[in-house]
Amino acid sequence: MKQLKLEIERVQSSFQTALMQSNSLEALEMTRVTFLGRKGEIAQLMPLLKDLSQDEKREFGPLLNVLKESSERAYFDKQTLLQNLEYEKAEESDKNFDVTAYKPGSVKGSLHLYTQATQRFEDIFISLGYTIADGPEVETEFYNFEALNIPENHPARDMQDTFFLKLPYMVLRTHTSPVQIRTMLTQKPPLAIASLGRVFRYEATDASHDFMFRQLEGLVVDKNISISQLLGTIRLFLGQFFEKDDLQVRARPGYFPFVEPGLEIDMSCPFCTKGCSTCSHTRWVEMGGAGLVHPRVLEHGGIDPKEYSGFAFGFGVTRLIMFKYRIHDIRLLHSADSEFLKQF
Ligand code: PHE
């Protein structure tokens, strides 16, 4: 009995010492487990009551309860105190955080190749007097197909494998050409726009294909627009992008329902004069499609084809970049691999 009383005093004083020495939340947690835990020192005193007489129980029961409750209270007070201290410390170090400080050897970010190329193309077209236009990536079938003279059930729809959405009549745009229609419906000729953005095709991924890539669209509508103006423009922006004054372009007949005549555009290989592995020893590389805007497309854009004509072109920005920087796998360009991307 005397024993129990001594035990209570011992536990109480060693708890107080431990509490006093708990100078961090971790240390405090250790103290809590040691004394207040389910198998802690205080809990272990409880079974001792069992062997006491009724009178003794009446005396020691409350004593033990007081010990338990006051210890818990002391523990919570100390916890609040430490939490506040820690909070103040964090606040203090936040206050001294200098966002402008120079950290030697820190890794600098850089613009992604897509951002760099987009800015470059936009600069080139703005310098030519073009406006930059934009359109949504989730597009209606009407703008992506019908208005561009690609009617339903026309085999040309299969030329571009489409992601159809659950939303009715909505697709992920398969090309940037719908921006042509959107522009004609909102701007009066004469007009000249360029538009860069992402397009999507339902295709298996390999070294040269991905389900997403980027295109560059151009559209000019005015009176008496000619193919020579189109080819001159293409030669100019490709020459600037590849930084080659003597870059040449050639046109071959091609089929795109929204242009007539339609052209496939090749450019002279910027890396050789006699043929190399990059141009498969042909000296020419295929870079995009173009043509004079089909009269029906002008009509869909609310423009009178008897009064106006236009040219349009569409180039693969992804392809242009891969070509310029000799990236052989599209998956590298589309990865988040900073070791790869930081080279550019
Ligand atoms: N939209 C066509 C494509 O993605 C490219 C193109 C644009 C061709 C404009 C002609 C004129 O294949």
Side-chain angles (χ1 to χ4, degrees):
M1 224 247 318
K2 183 112 186 284
Q3 195 72 30
L4 183 55
K5 196 169 174 146
L6 285 174
E7 257 311 272
I8 291 176
E9 277 163 10
R10 186 192 62 78
V11 171
Q12 186 165 30
S13 87
S14 58
F15 172 71
Q16 268 158 8
T17 314
L19 198 65
M20 221 164 61
Q21 289 169 349
S22 300
N23 286 325
S24 69
L25 285 169
E26 292 81 50
L28 181 65
E29 175 61 11
M30 291 285 287
T31 304
R32 186 191 67 77
V33 172
T34 314
F35 290 92
L36 295 165
R38 247 182 339 115
K39 293 190 179 129
E41 301 236 5
I42 294 178
Q44 276 172 28
L45 294 175
M46 296 298 174
L48 302 179
L49 279 178
K50 238 185 16 247
D51 306 325
L52 301 184
S53 71
Q54 216 45 5
D55 278 352
E56 290 166 339
K57 274 186 188 152
R58 228 170 279 150
E59 187 186 346
F60 284 102
L63 267 185
L64 272 177
N65 276 336
V66 167
L67 171 67
K68 186 162 177 274
E69 276 160 27
S70 67
S71 305
E72 273 169 2
R73 224 175 304 120
Y75 158 75
F76 283 124
D77 287 350
K78 180 82 185 214
Q79 190 188 39
T80 313
L81 183 84
L82 287 177
Q83 277 169 344
N84 285 344
L85 276 176
E86 219 142 281
Y87 179 75
E88 274 163 29
K89 231 175 28 204
E91 228 183 14
E92 193 58 31
S93 73
D94 279 357
K95 220 171 22 201
N96 293 330
F97 187 76
D98 179 1
V99 287
T100 65
Y102 173 71
K103 179 167 171 276
S106 59
V107 186
K108 279 213 187 96
S110 61
L111 294 178
H112 194 278
L113 270 184
Y114 272 141
T115 310
Q116 293 181 39
T118 302
Q119 290 177 348
R120 179 78 192 110
F121 279 122
E122 289 184 350
D123 283 350
I124 295 171
F125 282 103
I126 287 169
S127 78
L128 292 172
Y130 283 56
T131 333
I132 305 303
D134 208 1
E137 293 173 347
V138 173
E139 187 54 283
T140 64
E141 288 191 32
F142 179 77
Y143 285 125
N144 197 78
F145 295 122
E146 267 102 292
L148 289 164
N149 198 29
I150 317 176
E152 216 181 336
N153 303 323
H154 191 283
R157 283 234 180 160
D158 297 336
M159 284 164 62
Q160 302 180 342
D161 300 299
T162 310
F163 281 110
F164 291 94
L165 301 180
K166 285 201 175 129
L167 301 163
Y169 309 115
M170 298 298 263
V171 297
L172 292 185
R173 67 175 179 188
T174 56
H175 50 181
T176 41
S177 300
V179 180
Q180 290 185 32
I181 306 293
R182 290 181 173 274
T183 303
M184 289 190 276
L185 289 175
T186 51
Q187 293 181 33
K188 283 197 169 28
L191 59 86
I193 60 105
S195 186
L196 289 113
R198 303 199 292 178
V199 303
F200 304 85
R201 305 248 174 116
Y202 185 61
E203 268 185 313
T205 302
D206 62 28
S208 42
H209 299 89
D210 204 351
F211 63 87
M212 183 286 291
F213 56 98
R214 280 172 189 260
Q215 280 191 340
L216 154 64
E217 192 83 13
L219 171 72
V220 171
V221 180
D222 201 350
K223 293 184 171 149
N224 305 317
I225 289 296
S226 70
I227 289 193
S228 61
Q229 291 167 338
L230 166 64
L231 294 179
T233 305
I234 292 174
R235 194 176 54 159
L236 197 139
F237 80 74
L238 287 179
Q240 294 214 0
F241 181 67
F242 285 98
E243 295 165 77
K244 277 199 85 87
D245 294 338
D246 56 348
L247 191 131
Q248 302 197 324
V249 298
R250 76 175 183 189
R252 291 176 288 114
Y255 174 66
F256 303 96
F258 32 94
V259 281
E260 181 56 41
L263 308 169
E264 302 270 4
I265 304 293
D266 298 340
M267 69 171 190
S268 57
C269 179
F271 302 120
C272 72
T273 47
K274 294 201 182 72
C276 64
S277 60
T278 311
C279 59
S280 313
H281 303 281
T282 61
R283 289 188 40 238
W284 294 97
V285 277
E286 199 182 315
M287 276 300 161
L292 295 184
V293 182
H294 196 291
R296 219 170 285 152
V297 174
L298 289 172
E299 273 168 10
H300 277 301
I303 290 171
D304 182 0
K306 287 201 240 19
E307 197 179 345
Y308 289 102
S309 49
F311 69 64
F313 52 83
F315 280 71
V317 170
T318 303
R319 198 167 144 69
L320 288 165
I321 290 175
M322 287 176 67
F323 203 77
K324 178 168 175 182
Y325 297 99
R326 301 191 189 222
I327 298 167
H328 297 296
D329 196 324
I330 191 171
R331 289 165 292 200
L332 280 171
L333 181 60
H334 288 179
S335 73
D337 182 350
S338 55
E339 280 305 302
F340 169 77
L341 293 170
K342 78 178 181 198
Q343 302 173 81
F344 305 102

